[in-house]
Amino acid sequence: MEDFSQIEFASNTDVFSATELRSEIESLRDIDYARLSKKAIALAPGTGMEPNDLLQEALFRALKEKGGRNCPCNVNPAIFLGNVMRSIATHARLDWAREVPACTTGEDESGPIENTPDSAPSPEEATIAHLDYGRIIDRLEEMFRDDPKAQAIIIGDMEGWTPDEIREMEPMSTKEYDTARKRVRRSLLREFPEDPTNE
Amino acid sequence: MSKDQKNMREKLERLSNSLADEIDAMTDEEFQSELEEAGEDITDIASRTRTLISNAMENIGHKKLIAARAGYEHHKSAGHDNILQWSHKRKQKLINQFSQDDNYFEQKLTMAARNEGDSEFDIDSIIEDLIELGIIDDKGNIK
């Protein structure tokens, strides 16, 4: 039976005030700042936001006194800001995709034109939206064209596969898998392909 | 959003989230050594990020100050009867009337009491909520 006595529940009174959180953020170590910077790079693609803008937006929401996000006192503020960035990124991708809802598939395109509302995106806009995400994914796959192990990891992550499933698709030992994953991580964090939604 | 586009968006999101999870999962030593192996200077990255965050916080503070000044000017022009110009004690007395049978206000007041430096701000924030909800008017009259 699990021991629930160690679990700490955060209530409204267990959160940092904006002033406390500001001070906690100012006291972060170099390594925490570096993690935040790299996480912003990891999370920005497809959002239409630059990594720095994503980080600033997370900060703004975390320090907003009314209606902002609350950082529990038992959570490292760097982890908290990372989670806020993730949430913003998810919503930003959805918003961006809604701005240009696509009708790029044959099925959608065959719909009667007279039923299309005036506010509907033009086929050009829809195609751009389709291509932009497609371009990022194509570039990612292209980056690792000569490295099948790394490419398998990229594809596997995008499909939500487990490490075992990835290794099944591209046979490799655990050590080879770890090394390939490191290559992927290093390359992506150094130069995540340019995000066309930022243009 | 077409099925195709949704599919690609989800793929990209899974990849991004997986990358962010890996950053969290690494120990400090692993993360630092990986940056060094990639020829990156952790002090340099940290310094740039620290400056970015510091500027952003200054900007947020500046915006708050402008909003506070605007609020002050508004209340000043509205006359001395305005509830936000009451003394701290008088404001607390009014709020206590609501807090007796209400957990929400009890909790808010506890938080305000803990944040000594901000208590005035918190009390004002509660009063603004009450005005917005139409429970009191800006002269402190209960509706």
Side-chain angles (χ1 to χ4, degrees):
Chain A
M1 193 173 165
E2 286 184 69
D3 177 13
F4 291 103
S5 63
Q6 298 304 310
I7 300 175
E8 290 180 38
F9 294 97
S11 69
N12 282 346
T13 50
D14 291 323
V15 299
F16 285 123
S17 69
T19 313
E20 288 167 339
L21 183 59
R22 180 184 283 256
S23 159
E24 291 288 327
I25 292 170
E26 280 169 345
S27 313
L28 289 175
R29 303 164 305 153
D30 278 2
I31 197 111
D32 296 318
Y33 281 116
R35 274 187 212 264
L36 276 174
S37 165
K38 293 297 179 185
K39 276 170 84 173
I41 293 171
L43 293 166
T47 61
M49 298 169 84
E50 296 290 344
N52 284 351
D53 294 337
L54 183 58
L55 180 53
Q56 282 178 316
E57 184 60 26
L59 200 61
F60 175 74
R61 295 196 192 184
L63 293 176
K64 201 172 166 190
E65 310 245 6
K66 287 170 83 178
R69 311 290 173 95
N70 292 322
C71 177
C73 296
N74 58 355
V75 171
N76 178 334
I79 300 284
F80 172 75
L81 281 177
N83 291 339
V84 177
M85 281 198 286
R86 183 182 298 221
S87 163
I88 294 169
T90 298
H91 286 97
R93 281 190 206 100
L94 270 172
D95 288 347
W96 190 85
R98 277 197 204 104
E99 276 177 30
V100 272
C103 47
T104 52
T105 62
E107 194 185 316
D108 291 337
E109 281 170 349
S110 64
I113 293 169
E114 59 270 25
N115 285 345
T116 306
D118 290 344
S119 59
S122 69
E124 289 80 11
E125 286 173 323
T127 306
I128 289 165
H130 172 94
L131 286 177
D132 282 352
Y133 282 129
R135 266 161 61 191
I136 302 175
I137 291 170
D138 287 348
R139 284 180 201 172
L140 283 167
E141 289 178 359
E142 182 65 19
M143 270 174 80
F144 301 100
R145 196 173 43 142
D146 300 325
D147 187 345
K149 290 184 173 59
Q151 201 178 46
I153 287 174
I154 290 279
I155 294 169
D157 276 357
M158 288 196 289
E159 297 296 335
W161 293 343
T162 64
D164 284 346
E165 286 170 329
I166 294 172
R167 288 213 307 271
E168 208 171 287
M169 185 181 87
E170 175 68 32
M172 53 184 139
S173 68
T174 310
K175 195 177 174 189
E176 284 172 325
Y177 172 85
D178 289 341
T179 312
R181 184 160 276 289
K182 197 169 170 180
R183 282 200 300 279
V184 168
R185 193 163 56 230
R186 190 189 292 181
S187 300
L188 291 185
L189 292 179
R190 193 175 49 229
E191 45 178 335
F192 217 117
E194 188 186 350
D195 182 352
T197 63
N198 277 335
E199 287 167 2
Chain B
M1 200 187 314
S2 79
K3 218 170 165 184
D4 231 16
Q5 192 192 346
K6 183 171 179 272
N7 189 16
M8 282 190 285
R9 178 182 56 75
E10 286 172 351
K11 280 184 179 185
L12 196 56
E13 181 155 306
R14 279 195 286 263
L15 180 67
S16 280
N17 288 347
S18 159
L19 200 54
D21 285 341
E22 284 179 45
I23 296 169
D24 275 342
M26 277 189 276
T27 64
D28 286 351
E29 291 72 25
E30 284 167 343
F31 184 62
Q32 179 155 5
S33 116
E34 202 157 305
L35 288 178
E36 284 166 1
E37 280 173 34
E40 297 199 70
D41 181 357
I42 191 166
T43 317
D44 183 44
I45 301 172
S47 165
R48 277 185 279 120
T49 312
R50 195 186 295 271
T51 305
L52 177 86
I53 286 179
S54 169
N55 289 344
M57 289 206 288
E58 203 174 303
N59 199 19
I60 293 167
H62 186 61
K63 278 182 188 164
K64 268 188 201 164
L65 188 65
I66 291 172
R69 273 194 191 140
Y72 174 72
E73 290 303 325
H74 173 76
H75 296 310
K76 207 167 105 182
S77 63
H80 291 288
D81 285 347
N82 191 289
I83 185 173
L84 290 165
Q85 294 186 336
W86 287 9
S87 70
H88 189 69
K89 208 173 168 182
R90 197 174 166 201
K91 285 177 194 170
Q92 263 183 328
K93 202 175 163 190
L94 174 75
I95 288 174
N96 283 341
Q97 293 180 41
F98 294 98
S99 69
Q100 282 164 356
D101 299 313
D102 192 317
N103 284 339
Y104 166 78
F105 281 113
E106 284 282 6
Q107 208 168 36
K108 283 266 195 185
L109 284 175
T110 310
M111 284 180 80
R114 284 178 59 208
N115 305 328
E116 285 169 24
D118 289 336
S119 58
E120 182 77 32
F121 181 87
D122 289 334
I123 294 279
D124 283 352
S125 149
I126 295 168
I127 287 174
E128 281 166 1
D129 285 346
L130 289 172
I131 295 172
E132 277 173 25
L133 290 169
I135 296 169
I136 57 171
D137 64 20
D138 62 359
K139 307 273 187 298
N141 300 314
I142 299 170
K143 290 184 178 176

